[in-house]
Amino acid sequence: MGTMTPARALAALTTLAMATAVAASGDGLFASYRPLELTLRAPLEALFESARRDDKFTVGGTLEYPDSETSKSAALEVKVSVRGHTSRRDSECSFPKLKLKFGGDGHATMFEDVGSLRLGTHCGEQADDNPTKEFGRLANEKSPIREAFVYRLLDAVEVPALKARPARITYVDTRPGATPLTRNALLLEDEEALQQRLKATAVISPGEFTSARDRFQPAATARLALAEAMVGNFDWCLRMFSDDSYRCDAKLPLWNIIALEHAEGPATPVLTDFDLAGMVVGSHNWFGTVYGNRFAESGSSVGTEVLSQVQRTRSLFSRAVLDEARAHFLSRRDHAYNTLAQAELDARGRDLARRHLDAFYAAIADAAFYRPVIVRPDTVVYASADRSLVACAAGEAAPAGTPVNIVATDGDMAQVAMLDVHWRWAPPRDCPAVRNGTVWIAKDAVGTDYPVGR
């Protein structure tokens, strides 16, 4: 399955043609990926200041847009508010994300079915090599264009996500003497429009959500997990099963995943929010506290991060589900690369996108995917072959599904480099020997038949 056959390549090209036709049809706001020129007039400084104290504060404004019928500029009244979570902090974005709510009649054709819009802004004016200190955002106008590409890519590989479109927005603060500011931005559909598009009856709140195994089809969850790996995104959480603690806790079973309920059948998971994805920011400021660069064949952080999330899926799904999910992405490989070829990205953004795609498609091929892992639960990790000293804190053995590269053997012991895909030793726990060096484990604890069976 790792090789693209002529029939599969033809199927991928057919899928590309169909998706392109769909994207080009209709007059809707998201029917095109071409950047939309807009002007937003509102008391923005007053909004930013008041929103720090009141997260529900809104101001009135107007959104000017090109009227396709008259070839002139038209305007709609909007309510403007600040949105987001960590991006609202002063330490993150001097120009936070916004939400536009439309009111009254007179919607232009492209906005006729739009009740509100999420707006991804440029965040700030920092250089590429100066990300925000706390979360590592790319705080300049390259970020929303790269993020728009991520949404376009997910559409290309047919993984449910919000509809998105790049924009070029001139912000006009209506206070006297303010200077207009023109920057790249990102337009996103709201949850109401998403519900209508996917024929859902409700959005499941985090408080109501139980687990992916309870609410989603395994195939949908597997595609979601692989899609997050493909774009290098770690800013998400989905409680896979009742006691899952990987980047989740009891209070936060969902993060940047929208769970849609339907009148019949399982719920649908929908991906959103990629301003911290690897395809956007390039690197994660937490990388050195969880991973080292020695495990991935490329020796790069991109290769390590992609491989980590890909390999974690082996502990979550059956072989049948995994093989179907890999086949899904492999059948859309040409479509993914063609989408990249057509996208308008800055040079660094294009390179990041290609590196992530290269790493992902290498990682889901048969030989790379079913690589050696620990197959025995709670395998003790030693500092030496004689088992005289454990390498990590007492009681913190390596879980099954942890990938290993065998460096040497000594009797019934194997010296291995490990990739902590389960974040067993992520902060506040730590095991420098696993992260940056090699350790010793029982040789018979390693195998490739995981999950078991064909």
Side-chain angles (χ1 to χ4, degrees):
M1 186 169 62
T3 301
M4 178 70 73
T5 65
R8 189 169 286 164
L10 178 60
L13 291 175
T14 303
T15 302
L16 172 61
M18 293 174 60
T20 301
V22 170
S25 65
D27 295 322
L29 177 61
F30 298 108
S32 171
Y33 297 117
R34 179 174 54 82
L36 184 62
E37 299 276 347
L38 301 169
T39 297
L40 177 62
R41 300 179 185 272
L44 295 172
E45 185 176 277
L47 170 65
F48 296 160
E49 179 62 31
S50 297
R52 295 188 183 100
R53 301 184 299 272
D54 178 5
D55 60 6
K56 299 185 183 303
F57 186 81
T58 63
V59 297
T62 59
L63 183 69
E64 298 176 7
Y65 58 91
D67 189 324
S68 59
E69 295 183 0
T70 65
S71 299
K72 297 180 180 180
S73 179
L76 289 171
E77 293 185 359
V78 293
K79 291 292 186 182
V80 189
S81 58
V82 171
R83 69 176 186 89
H85 298 283
T86 59
S87 61
R88 299 172 66 105
R89 303 180 187 181
D90 290 342
S91 59
E92 282 295 300
C93 294
S94 59
F95 203 109
K97 300 175 184 178
L98 300 174
K99 182 173 183 178
L100 308 181
K101 185 172 180 60
F102 297 86
D105 299 325
H107 280 33
T109 302
M110 71 173 67
F111 293 104
E112 62 183 353
D113 297 321
V114 180
S116 63
L117 276 178
R118 300 180 182 191
L119 199 159
T121 67
H122 56 287
C123 180
E125 306 291 346
Q126 298 176 201
D128 292 9
D129 59 356
N130 184 28
T132 60
K133 292 183 179 179
E134 189 171 3
F135 292 96
R137 278 183 172 82
L138 177 65
N140 61 49
E141 65 175 343
K142 294 177 183 176
S143 176
I145 301 303
R146 293 181 188 179
E147 187 175 2
F149 168 74
V150 171
Y151 283 100
R152 183 176 178 180
L153 178 64
L154 293 173
D155 195 25
V157 297
E158 300 179 27
V159 173
L162 293 179
K163 288 293 185 181
R165 182 174 180 177
R168 184 75 173 166
I169 300 182
T170 297
Y171 302 96
V172 180
D173 194 324
T174 52
R175 62 186 169 86
T179 302
L181 178 71
T182 302
R183 294 291 184 269
N184 293 330
L186 168 69
L187 306 179
L188 285 171
E189 72 176 332
D190 67 0
E191 289 187 355
E192 183 178 350
L194 173 68
Q195 283 182 243
Q196 294 176 357
R197 177 165 63 88
L198 296 185
K199 298 178 174 59
T201 57
V203 174
I204 304 172
S205 70
E208 298 172 317
F209 188 79
T210 52
S211 72
R213 288 182 181 174
D214 289 339
R215 304 308 302 263
F216 303 146
Q217 286 184 328
T221 310
R223 291 182 189 182
L224 176 153
L226 288 179
E228 298 281 16
M230 179 180 69
V231 303
N233 189 39
F234 286 82
D235 188 26
W236 67 285
C237 172
L238 173 60
R239 188 161 60 203
M240 296 291 182
F241 43 86
S242 59
D243 57 347
D244 181 17
S245 60
Y246 173 84
R247 303 178 60 81
C248 285
D249 57 37
K251 297 180 181 179
L252 189 68
L254 285 171
W255 180 260
N256 289 335
I257 300 291
I258 301 171
L260 294 181
E261 193 165 43
H262 302 280
E264 296 181 358
T268 299
V270 179
L271 282 68
T272 182
D273 206 337
F274 301 101
D275 58 337
L276 288 173
M279 276 192 178
V280 176
V281 300
S283 61
H284 294 100
N285 56 11
W286 48 257
F287 181 91
T289 65
V290 180
Y291 304 124
N293 275 331
R294 298 183 56 183
F295 193 88
E297 286 81 351
S298 64
S300 72
S301 61
V302 168
T304 298
E305 290 173 359
V306 169
L307 182 62
S308 173
Q309 291 204 80
V310 166
Q311 284 295 302
R312 179 176 174 256
T313 64
R314 293 174 68 183
S315 297
L316 299 173
F317 308 102
S318 69
R319 281 206 176 213
V321 169
L322 290 169
D323 289 345
E324 186 281 332
R326 293 189 301 123
H328 173 89
F329 283 95
L330 287 167
S331 72
R332 289 152 181 81
R333 178 174 181 162
D334 287 354
H335 196 173
Y337 279 98
N338 285 336
T339 299
L340 174 58
Q342 296 165 9
E344 295 183 4
L345 290 167
D346 63 282
R348 170 64 172 160
R350 183 173 300 280
D351 178 64
L352 284 172
R354 180 169 292 279
R355 288 170 59 197
H356 278 82
L357 282 177
D358 289 348
F360 175 72
Y361 278 106
I364 65 172
D366 283 346
F369 188 77
Y370 289 113
R371 64 176 57 231
V373 296
I374 292 175
V375 296
R376 194 164 63 201
D378 298 322
T379 294
V380 180
V381 181
Y382 296 98
S384 59
D386 62 8
R387 309 190 191 202
S388 61
L389 181 66
V390 293
C392 305
E396 292 191 355
T402 300
V404 297
N405 289 332
I406 296 178
V407 177
T409 60
D410 186 347
D412 62 352
M413 298 293 286
Q415 184 183 21
V416 299
M418 297 171 55
L419 183 61
D420 187 14
V421 301
H422 300 287
W423 287 45
R424 172 60 62 91
W425 294 286
R429 293 174 294 186
D430 192 18
C431 185
V434 166
R435 188 174 67 251
N436 297 317
T438 59
V439 294
W440 290 85
I441 60 175
K443 190 163 55 176
D444 61 4
V446 178
T448 57
D449 192 19
Y450 183 88
V452 176
R454 292 284 180 184

